[in-house]
Amino acid sequence: MNTQKLKFNKLYINGEWISAFSRETFDVINPGTGNVITGVPNAGEIEAEMAIDAASKAFPEWSEKTAQERFDLLYKWFQLIIENKEEIATILTEEQGKPYSEAIGEVHYAASFVSWYAEEGKRIYGETIPASSREKRILVIKQPIGVVAAITPWNFPAAMFTKKIATALAAGCTTVIKPAEVTPLTALKLVKLAEEAGIPAGVINAITGNPKIIGQTWLKDKRVSKITFTGSTAVGKELMRGAADTVKKVSLELGGHAPVIVCADANLDKAVEGVILSKFRNGGQTCVCANRIYVENSIMPIFIDKLRNEVEKLKVGIGNQSDAKIGPLINQAAYTKVQRHVEDAVAKGAKVVCGGKRVEEYQGGYFYEPTILSNINNEMIIMSEETFGPVAPIVGFDDIDDAIKQANDTDYGLAAYAFTENLKSTIKLYEKLEYGIVGINDGLVSLAQAPFGGIKQSGIGREGGHQGLEEYLETKYVSIGI
Ligand code: SIN
């Protein structure tokens, strides 16, 4: 990427692209090569407050626009994202590492939130309720919640950004945003396109910098009505505590530890394809990715064989190599965690079916071989901690009720998957699995029109679908005496 051409590696506040007051910057690193891409401003409290000032000032006018006016601007933004998809995907691959073809897929996924919510914003309906007397009328209206603070993650720098911002804007809210420190450039490019689409100054304000200081500033400010966050459960809990002081609404999309249950009556080719999608998309760095694969013992050898055949075809490489299917892990800490999970499992008796070590070919980055482990037991940390890497641990089961019990034995509750051709088992699985999302014979469940989110310690609230829009709206009950 020619960094000279980057016109958007700045803070965007009140319609202006500015540096941090301190003039400090921090580096954005390509995780595939270890090279510095560019620097971005290291903003702190002053800039975080300026962003709230701008968003508060812009709120009255934005919230009073008609749904059609907001649609026109959001739809223009959608068109610009599609027109610029190659450039966005190039930035995304460079700063996040995922293969370019996956980055293009993510840009389409990101754009789908903008077009879907542009439309859905026209359907913010109220209600009338029969009153208890002839002298009264009861109405329920929906109004935008106000200024929304969004903290977006590094694993889907485009899609998780639009998922929050397009929804907030469609609801009539204005926004302050902090993209992940390691992948801010994709988000800033999307902001640049929003500016070109004519979204007015102050409606979107994006800053890069110290996450703790920025987060604290937004949490304590009464003018921020809602915090939306995608990331780890630990940080989600901190934000929730911080939001309590000013009783802000929170939406949290947190960690997961997805089980996959493969029954003996499954279509095995479909099951292998689903496991590959769920486990190895984004190199295993998704909140919904398979972390425990329960396979009925009678099909274990054949399933492992088929899976290994497919996993061994997954070419590891730097994201811009055309045949790369698995990119690097995001940083050294992510690599160390994956390595720790595998070493711990092997020390406790796991067998490495394939993979299990660093890819030596690319010394500059953090590449780990796509790995299958068998002989797994519940003492291994991989069975309780989210791995966030390309490692598939396989566990046997004999009885579906026991598999469901084991699958539910976790504090997480984001996504679960099951493969079966049996109708009774299908119903039992989707009814009994304690997860916000269940994929049956489907390893890729993410869509703009569906409510995505977790139960238990995997989060609060939903993103996507008409349910996602509700998270940015207040319900007002109006009683009129006549
Ligand atoms: C996530 O990993 O946080 C989201 C993944 C998705 O939208 O599919």
Side-chain angles (χ1 to χ4, degrees):
M1 191 193 317
N2 180 354
T3 53
Q4 298 303 314
K5 278 173 53 191
L6 291 182
K7 296 273 188 292
F8 51 86
N9 53 342
K10 293 266 188 294
L11 312 174
Y12 184 70
I13 303 177
N14 204 22
E16 307 273 348
W17 292 91
I18 60 171
S19 302
F21 280 95
S22 64
R23 299 272 147 201
E24 280 175 28
T25 59
F26 61 91
D27 290 339
V28 182
I29 310 279
N30 178 329
T33 60
N35 296 335
V36 174
I37 303 169
T38 185
V40 291
N42 190 12
E45 191 171 349
I46 303 176
E47 296 87 350
E49 267 175 14
M50 283 170 60
I52 306 174
D53 293 344
S56 307
K57 202 167 105 228
F59 178 70
E61 205 177 314
W62 182 253
S63 60
E64 282 168 21
K65 280 198 185 299
T66 65
Q68 182 64 41
E69 285 168 339
R70 286 198 288 261
F71 167 87
D72 291 341
L73 292 166
L74 285 169
Y75 200 73
K76 179 76 195 149
W77 188 25
F78 160 76
Q79 286 174 316
L80 288 174
I81 294 172
I82 296 297
E83 276 166 34
N84 289 274
K85 67 179 177 188
E86 284 91 2
E87 187 186 343
I88 305 168
T90 303
I91 297 168
L92 207 168
T93 289
E94 193 137 344
E95 68 175 354
Q96 201 274 343
K98 70 180 61 177
Y100 180 76
S101 55
E102 263 199 60
I104 287 281
E106 184 182 336
V107 177
H108 279 281
Y109 179 37
S112 73
F113 288 106
V114 184
S115 60
W116 201 82
Y117 279 109
E119 288 289 354
E120 194 62 11
K122 297 177 191 165
R123 289 182 274 276
I124 299 174
Y125 302 141
E127 278 179 66
T128 59
I129 298 176
S132 308
S133 89
R134 270 179 285 279
E135 284 75 42
K136 282 194 180 193
R137 295 293 181 270
I138 294 176
L139 311 180
V140 177
I141 61 167
K142 299 278 178 178
Q143 292 182 306
I145 194 162
V147 174
V148 171
I151 302 177
T152 59
W154 54 262
N155 60 345
F156 289 87
M160 298 304 106
F161 180 87
T162 54
K163 194 181 206 180
K164 295 183 190 308
I165 304 311
T167 321
L169 265 54
C173 298
T174 55
T175 56
V176 296
I177 306 136
K178 190 201 75 60
E181 302 84 89
V182 285
T183 58
L185 299 172
T186 307
L188 293 175
K189 176 68 192 175
L190 290 167
V191 173
K192 182 85 189 130
L193 295 175
E195 181 190 31
E196 284 172 33
I199 293 180
V203 172
I204 296 179
N205 303 277
I207 65 173
T208 52
N210 185 310
K212 261 217 141 64
I213 296 174
I214 295 170
Q216 287 305 325
T217 309
W218 289 348
L219 280 172
K220 70 180 187 224
D221 197 308
K222 280 195 273 192
R223 292 172 298 168
V224 175
S225 307
K226 175 186 170 85
I227 294 265
T228 170
F229 168 72
T230 296
S232 73
T233 296
V235 173
K237 287 180 183 178
E238 264 181 57
L239 291 172
M240 207 171 158
R241 281 185 207 105
D245 280 342
T246 52
V247 194
K248 293 188 202 319
K249 191 160 178 170
V250 290
S251 290
L252 303 172
E253 202 262 270
L254 307 177
H257 203 271
V260 181
I261 296 177
V262 184
C263 300
D265 57 33
N267 173 327
L268 285 197
D269 293 328
K270 248 197 217 169
V272 167
E273 192 189 318
V275 167
I276 298 268
L277 263 175
S278 161
K279 176 68 258 183
F280 295 101
R281 170 174 168 243
N282 203 14
Q285 301 174 108
T286 75
C287 303
V288 283
C289 86
N291 224 112
R292 291 166 286 152
I293 302 165
Y294 297 98
V295 177
E296 198 157 342
N297 279 321
S298 59
I299 54 159
M300 182 67 98
I302 176 165
F303 179 81
I304 290 191
D305 238 38
K306 275 180 176 283
L307 187 64
R308 186 188 43 219
N309 270 341
E310 294 307 311
V311 169
E312 283 177 345
K313 289 182 197 156
L314 297 172
K315 163 98 179 97
V316 178
I318 295 178
N320 57 13
Q321 289 171 345
S322 58
D323 55 348
K325 290 281 180 284
I326 305 273
L329 294 161
I330 191 70
N331 55 25
Q332 178 66 50
Y335 176 83
T336 306
K337 185 178 193 193
V338 170
Q339 191 182 35
R340 181 168 68 87
H341 280 200
V342 173
E343 282 176 4
D344 169 79
V346 170
K348 291 172 181 161
K351 181 170 166 268
V352 178
V353 176
C354 64
K357 56 185 191 317
R358 188 178 191 121
V359 179
E360 299 297 343
E361 202 178 331
Y362 309 107
Q363 284 298 322
Y366 311 99
F367 293 88
Y368 202 86
E369 289 177 345
T371 298
I372 302 175
L373 301 175
S374 64
N375 245 14
I376 297 294
N377 64 56
N378 285 339
E379 303 309 308
M380 299 169 182
I381 50 183
I382 201 164
M383 290 301 281
S384 53
E385 263 185 37
E386 196 176 16
T387 307
F388 240 63
V391 184
I394 312 232
V395 191
F397 76 88
D398 286 315
D399 169 50
I400 190 169
D401 292 304
D402 183 49
I404 294 172
K405 193 161 163 239
Q406 287 193 60
N408 288 339
D409 187 17
T410 168
D411 288 335
Y412 291 111
L414 184 56
Y417 307 86
F419 292 85
T420 176
E421 295 292 311
N422 179 291
L423 182 60
K424 263 194 171 169
S425 303
T426 297
I427 295 170
K428 180 184 275 192
L429 284 156
Y430 75 66
E431 284 184 354
K432 299 286 178 211
L433 283 166
E434 295 164 0
Y435 289 83
I437 304 164
V438 177
I440 302 284
N441 298 329
D442 186 9
L444 183 58
V445 289
S446 313
L447 284 175
Q449 66 269 37
F452 185 106
I455 60 172
K456 297 189 193 167
Q457 295 186 30
S458 283
I460 293 180
R462 293 294 178 269
E463 293 185 308
H466 67 86
Q467 296 88 345
L469 197 57
E470 284 292 326
E471 305 277 339
Y472 294 87
L473 295 168
E474 289 289 12
T475 298
K476 186 181 281 179
Y477 150 47
V478 185
S479 178
I480 307 175
I482 50 172

